[in-house]
Amino acid sequence: MKRPLGVSLISYFYMFGAGVMILTAIFFNANADEFGIAERFGIPNVPERIFRMIVAMGSLLIIYGYMRLKRWGFWLMIVYSLGFGVISYGLLFSHDKQPFIGNLIWSVIVLVYTLCVRRSFFTREKKYYEH
């Protein structure tokens, strides 16, 4: 089955984000941000560099399944979008709202689009073999 254009665009966006996350894990000054990604997830005692690598590698795994139109890629993207959306929504009330509004909107867009193209993840091409 041909991959929907939106799945490709979302995947490339997340690949770029994972690459940036890996680079910042290597070259990031942990004291540069007001609060890091680990703190946003509610686990401030985890080292920021390690947590950035874990999130980046996890998102690359999700993207692999999502781009390949795997069922598990669909479900992991749903959970990933819901998780980041809920975290962004929660942070709206405790920090500067602008970046978290954008993150929340993006999570909703990915979630809605993924649900709209769910058939791409759950249909299998029939392969006929000659015996």
Side-chain angles (χ1 to χ4, degrees), residues 25-78:
I26 296 168
F27 301 109
F28 178 71
N29 178 3
N31 298 323
D33 280 344
E34 178 183 340
F35 59 101
I37 292 175
E39 189 173 340
R40 292 176 191 178
F41 276 84
I43 48 176
N45 296 331
V46 175
E48 184 67 20
R49 286 187 170 143
I50 292 171
F51 195 74
R52 283 177 183 262
M53 289 298 285
I54 290 169
V55 171
M57 294 302 175
S59 65
L60 287 174
L61 175 69
I62 293 167
I63 294 162
Y64 175 79
Y66 192 69
M67 282 191 84
R68 301 268 185 232
L69 302 177
K70 302 290 185 183
R71 290 179 185 180
W72 59 266
F74 169 84
W75 289 113
L76 287 178
M77 184 58 80
I78 295 292

